[in-house]
Amino acid sequence: MTEGSTPPSAEKDNTDAPALSPTRPDGWPDWLGRRPIPTTERDKLRERIDADRYARDTTRAETDLQLTPHFSYLVIDGLTEEDQPRKRAHLRARISIATRLAAGESRTHYETTEHRITIGIAGPDARDQILALRKENQRIGRGRRWIITEELT
């Protein structure tokens, strides 16, 4: 400023200078040029989104139900007969390998306790895979008193 000059008035600055950003009716800056959504419209929009999501979930569930694979189980009981832990671990490993070979690319479920092993195989040919696995496990368990049962679906 030079001598004798007066500072510009605050009113003049507001009218001449453009606003940095437009403002919305609620006082916040409108950076994206959007208008606020009234609560009723927001509720309607959420209802439509939820209805679409429910329809998609229902359709997906029906499709998954049609594609549900058959699941067959094989239970090997009486594994505690073997006293040597190393030999018992070796037998369990052989059973696990036989399961992987019989199942191939099919989805499997393998649950084990000290006394029992339960093996599940999913897929359209699960029944045949379980029967092949039973035959292999009978060969592995020859001479042992295992009880091998299956549930074929």
Side-chain angles (χ1 to χ4, degrees):
M1 278 197 278
T2 60
E3 279 183 41
S5 64
T6 58
S9 68
E11 292 176 8
K12 189 174 182 184
D13 280 346
N14 289 342
T15 56
D16 290 345
L20 294 175
S21 66
T23 55
R24 301 186 319 198
D26 58 0
W28 287 91
D30 189 9
W31 296 104
L32 301 174
R34 298 179 181 159
R35 63 177 176 79
I37 298 175
T39 307
T40 55
E41 285 185 39
R42 187 177 303 125
D43 291 341
K44 288 178 185 176
L45 183 62
R46 284 186 179 153
E47 285 176 12
R48 285 195 304 248
I49 290 171
D50 289 341
D52 288 345
R53 186 177 297 138
Y54 177 75
R56 275 186 279 137
D57 289 346
T58 304
T59 304
R60 185 179 300 133
E62 288 173 358
T63 304
D64 288 348
L65 189 60
Q66 292 171 355
L67 298 176
T68 302
H70 300 285
F71 220 90
S72 296
Y73 293 93
L74 180 77
V75 179
I76 304 169
D77 215 347
L79 296 172
T80 52
E81 175 187 306
E82 192 61 56
D83 349 342
Q84 299 174 358
R86 191 172 192 173
K87 204 167 199 180
R88 195 175 331 153
H90 180 71
L91 286 171
R92 286 178 181 269
R94 287 180 65 190
I95 292 169
S96 178
I97 291 169
T99 301
R100 290 175 190 258
L101 289 174
E105 295 294 318
S106 299
R107 188 170 49 117
T108 60
H109 175 78
Y110 192 86
E111 191 175 306
T112 181
T113 64
E114 188 177 332
H115 308 286
R116 166 186 294 177
I117 295 178
T118 305
I119 303 162
I121 299 177
D125 55 348
R127 175 182 224 140
D128 299 332
Q129 291 170 332
I130 286 290
L131 291 174
L133 181 60
R134 178 189 174 100
K135 195 179 286 187
E136 180 63 23
N137 281 319
Q138 284 174 336
R139 191 183 66 72
I140 293 171
R142 194 175 315 135
R144 294 176 180 85
R145 290 179 287 170
W146 289 352
I147 301 168
I148 302 176
T149 56
E150 72 267 341
E151 181 182 320
L152 305 173
T153 57

